Amino acid sequence: MDLYTKTETVQQDIDKDFIASIFQPENVDVILSKSTTVKYRKRETVIKSGEFVSHLILIYKGFVKVEIEKGKRNLILDIVPAMNIIGLPVVLNLAKYDFSIVSLTECEVRLLPIDTIKSIISGNGKVAMQIINYANDQFVFPMLNKLQCISHNNVRGRLAQLLLNLAQNTHQSKSFTLFISRTEMAEMIGFSRENVIRILSEFHTENIISISGKNIEIKNFPKLEELARYS
């Protein structure tokens, strides 16, 4: 077995373990047998708002952004890394997607057929509870925190919270490369691009972060957390 084959085998095992953790081990084979994997280039549309819901979207490799359109402006709801299902359990009750998904890097997406998933849920209460728990951890609670941040914080607080989220949840590292522009950061926190650029510069000067182009290192987590809570 060559290195490529070994890597693929390891990834498939991770894939199976992830699906089993939500839908129970006995359902993994039937889900995988009816799903398909699609590759996308950077900045390709994976799902367009208004399309009919036919699949759950599992980000298999890479990063994507989830956004909604507000007139001529976009509101970015989240940046999602690999091994996450987007929108559970919201899309289970939708006829059409009310958000768009766009790849930020080259990525692979596994499409899990919605009819198969609904059939499994209807006959298995344990799976339903697992989905609720997953949705709370990955969607509901984070979204409530973001809404609280938006309603209470000024631009420094909102940007601090965004940087914390990128470091702790998206990249899971204090040093990371941004896949989004300054304009997209502004769309995520509800302020102007100029405000984002100014506050990033202030954070850099105050030695809270180190920034070089798209590369960011969090140098003072406690200060960033303080700003996110009280600004």
Side-chain angles (χ1 to χ4, degrees), residues 75-88:
L75 174 62
I76 300 176
L77 299 177
D78 204 2
I79 297 173
V80 182
M83 303 317 295
N84 277 283
I85 296 176
I86 296 178
L88 260 180

Side-chain angles (χ1 to χ4, degrees), residues 17-83:
D17 290 343
F18 175 77
I19 293 175
S21 70
I22 301 174
F23 301 106
Q24 296 297 304
E26 64 270 20
N27 298 309
V28 171
D29 288 340
V30 66
I31 291 173
L32 291 179
S33 69
K34 296 185 178 182
S35 68
T36 185
T37 301
V38 181
K39 294 183 179 181
Y40 292 90
R41 294 186 297 271
K42 182 179 179 181
R43 296 286 173 172
E44 274 199 282
T45 298
V46 178
I47 291 294
K48 180 68 174 175
S49 178
E51 291 181 8
F52 285 101
V53 174
S54 58
H55 295 82
L56 290 180
I57 309 301
L58 166 60
I59 307 305
Y60 191 51
K61 295 179 182 177
F63 293 80
V64 302
K65 65 175 178 177
V66 181
E67 61 185 10
I68 57 176
E69 297 176 4
K70 288 291 185 179
K72 295 182 179 180
R73 298 181 60 188
N74 288 339
L75 174 62
I76 300 176
L77 299 177
D78 204 2
I79 297 173
V80 182
M83 303 317 295

Side-chain angles (χ1 to χ4, degrees), residues 102-158:
V102 178
S103 60
L104 294 172
T105 63
E106 290 187 354
C107 68
E108 293 183 21
V109 173
R110 188 178 289 279
L111 305 177
L112 310 178
I114 200 80
D115 290 342
T116 300
I117 301 300
K118 286 184 176 180
S119 176
I120 291 171
I121 294 172
S122 66
N124 193 322
K126 190 172 183 179
V127 172
M129 287 303 302
Q130 286 292 108
I131 288 176
I132 291 172
N133 291 335
Y134 178 84
N136 285 338
D137 291 339
Q138 301 298 321
F139 179 75
V140 178
F141 296 150
M143 191 59 64
L144 289 174
N145 288 335
K146 289 174 186 176
L147 291 173
Q148 184 179 33
C149 177
I150 289 173
S151 65
H152 291 92
N153 285 4
N154 60 26
V155 61
R156 283 173 66 88
R158 293 191 198 180

